[in-house]
Amino acid sequence: MTFDKVKTSLFVSTILLLVISIVLGIATVKQSNQKRHLQNKLNATQKNLDSIKSKQDTSQNEAEKIIKEFYKTVYNYDKSQKEISMTTVKELATDNIYKELQNEINVNNSYSPQQNIIQKSTVKENEIKILAYESSGNSLQYLVTAPIYQVFNGTKNNFEINQIIQIENQKITKRTTIKLGQE
């Protein structure tokens, strides 16, 4: 029995082409399944990240509101620091911050009339700058720069206060005054 070389090679090449087509078809289906699976994972991860970012933005906005309210309460008064609403301070800050501020006010009010006495103090909410950053303990801290306008014994004294503020459970837990380098 003799085989026709042309017919045999045509048959073998057809079988080979059929096998290659089947293998490529299977590979394409597997690849599209993998792509769909990865796309679903990506969408789920993106939704999760969007949710986390939304929560962070909300908590950061709330923290910024707390900080601004604290600064307006502490640095806005017309005659003396005795006008500061310590009830509001107690709502916005922990007991340690409250006591620290109370001591600060007591020291400032213990001066005799001949010494420098703050007569008026103002801070404008729209001028308070807040920069959030993550500290080493994975908690958010805020670098706050606020221009303070004060009057000492009739003399105007404008300056910027720079503080690092930490907020936990909707209360200021840490307040550290720092000095920033000049440009």
Side-chain angles (χ1 to χ4, degrees):
M1 173 160 139
T2 61
F3 295 107
D4 186 4
K5 287 184 179 181
V6 172
K7 288 182 181 178
T8 307
S9 63
L10 192 56
F11 178 73
V12 169
S13 62
T14 303
I15 297 292
L16 188 61
L17 186 60
L18 182 63
V19 169
I20 290 173
S21 297
I22 291 171
V23 168
L24 283 176
I26 292 170
T28 302
V29 169
K30 281 186 176 181
Q31 185 179 16
S32 66
N33 283 343
Q34 283 180 333
K35 183 179 177 184
R36 185 174 40 256
H37 178 68
L38 289 174
Q39 187 66 40
N40 289 341
K41 269 182 140 178
L42 178 65
N43 289 342
T45 304
Q46 186 65 40
K47 283 181 185 177
N48 191 17
L49 286 175
D50 289 345
S51 172
I52 291 170
K53 184 169 179 7
S54 174
K55 286 178 186 175
Q56 283 180 337
D57 287 347
T58 301
S59 66
Q60 184 171 341
N61 286 340
E62 289 172 6
E64 288 181 8
K65 285 179 187 176
I66 291 169
I67 291 169
K68 286 182 178 184
E69 187 63 31
F70 179 80
Y71 275 78
K72 287 189 314 186
T73 302
V74 172
Y75 293 105
N76 281 337
Y77 50 87
D78 287 327
K79 294 183 181 167
S80 79
Q81 285 181 312
K82 292 178 184 177
E83 294 178 16
I84 295 173
S85 170
M86 294 308 284
T87 315
T88 305
V89 170
K90 196 162 189 100
E91 291 171 6
L92 298 172
T94 60
D95 288 340
N96 289 341
I97 300 293
Y98 174 83
K99 288 174 187 171
E100 177 185 302
L101 187 60
Q102 189 66 53
N103 288 341
E104 206 174 289
I105 291 169
N106 290 341
V107 167
N108 288 340
N109 288 324
S110 67
Y111 292 124
S112 66
Q114 291 81 22
Q115 294 172 313
N116 283 341
I117 297 174
I118 303 172
Q119 295 169 329
K120 183 178 180 179
S121 180
T122 309
V123 64
K124 295 178 183 168
E125 181 179 0
N126 61 342
E127 293 180 356
I128 298 172
K129 297 175 191 156
I130 301 172
L131 175 66
Y133 66 94
E134 195 169 321
S135 69
S136 58
N138 288 334
S139 63
L140 277 178
Q141 289 189 337
Y142 302 87
L143 172 60
V144 180
T145 300
I148 309 291
Y149 307 100
Q150 291 183 336
V151 177
F152 286 90
N153 294 337
T155 306
K156 289 183 180 180
N157 182 24
N158 301 334
F159 62 95
E160 276 190 345
I161 188 166
N162 300 296
Q163 293 182 327
I164 295 176
I165 303 286
Q166 185 171 336
I167 295 181
E168 293 175 9
N169 300 324
Q170 303 298 317
K171 286 197 171 206
I172 296 174
T173 59
K174 184 178 175 185
R175 179 178 76 132
T176 308
T177 302
I178 60 170
K179 182 174 181 169
L180 297 177
Q182 299 295 322
E183 293 182 22

